[in-house]
Amino acid sequence: MIVVMQKDATEDQISHMIERVEGLGLKAHVIRGTERTVIAAIGEKREEDKSALESGMGVSEVVPILAPYKVASRELKPEPTKVSVGSFTMGAGTLGVVAGPCSVENEEQLMSTARVVKKAGATALRGGAFKPRTSPYSFQGLKEEGLKLLAAAREETGLAVVTEVLSTDDVDLVASYADVLQIGARNMQNYRLLEAVGNISNPVILKRGPSAAMDELLLAAEYILNEGNPNVILCERGIRTFESHTRFTLPLASVTYLHNKTHLPVMIDPSHGTGHAYMVADMAAAAVAVGADALMIEVHPNPEVALSDGYQSLNFQQFSDLMTRCYKIASAIDVTMEKGELVV
Ligand code: PEP
Ligand code: MN
């Protein structure tokens, strides 16, 4: 249920209603909008609770949340959520661009990429230090050494750092180096990991599982939000279908659907979504046109020799061209985007 407070409700009335909600054995989740404050009362729905809350001082109305996810729903919070950390801002009309290698491989590879993506207009640097690989024999990442290189790249370029956390054991370590934690597609339904990142203050990029339905993605986000971390970014990175001309199938309609159902910002990852470097710029441009709040693009100084995902990584020139094209589209639809310089 949502307890909608009156526009002129006092702080005392709001605190009182939070106590009333908790007194009924429900969890109170407060959202202070520009117009009014609402209190989500999360827990098992009982008809008598609704009438008990309706009579509270300063209460405008008590309405049920119909969606299975509650805190993530637009019913609770109609205004879009903007996520901001360091150089990285996205949502509510601002496009964020996260770019960098699939894996952090060495200092030269990461630093050269960081400098170029920054110049081209990216607002955050990505790079995997803990890598979820299909085969245990593939490169697993540099682990803490990779995190140190990412922190050094932030130091030099000012770019916020995005990196994946694979296990609950590593959450504190990764959060001590990175600005934004990524939950990979394979871990979208690792509920203990979701709760763990719900208990830190870093924003979280939650990638859609390759066979997860939209409601499952939103319920996974709910696990993080429910623990008190409001900064969740949903990332469409493609799903598994019968189609084999792309690595995954990238549904851009997810942007429109999610914007309709949730206030959380939506990121598109055309690199994993297509699995082919030649398709990435077209899909990135389309994602901007459809209103995505952020892009995630894999970039490598020499994709041919990348230790992971080289076939879908852009070289510096290709990334710079993508950014020029996306900037034109963003400007045409009044979306704010960092204007980079042409590289190479
Ligand atoms: C990645 O971002 O490099 C990655 C492993 O992505 P996903 O979890 O979407 O496969
Ligand atoms: Mn990758």
Side-chain angles (χ1 to χ4, degrees), residues 87-160:
S87 65
F88 184 55
T89 298
M90 60 168 296
T94 298
L95 184 83
V97 180
V98 182
C102 178
S103 304
V104 178
E105 297 172 8
N106 55 60
E107 187 178 353
E108 170 56 23
Q109 172 243 20
L110 187 69
M111 293 311 271
S112 60
T113 309
R115 288 180 199 120
V116 167
V117 299
K118 157 95 182 171
K119 197 169 167 209
T123 47
L125 174 69
R126 64 151 286 148
F130 291 88
K131 291 304 300 176
R133 303 305 302 278
T134 303
S135 163
Y137 307 117
S138 302
F139 176 59
Q140 302 289 312
L142 297 180
K143 316 234 164 59
E144 189 167 2
E145 192 46 42
L147 296 175
K148 287 186 178 155
L149 292 175
L150 285 163
R154 172 182 51 215
E155 187 70 28
E156 191 196 300
T157 61
L159 287 173

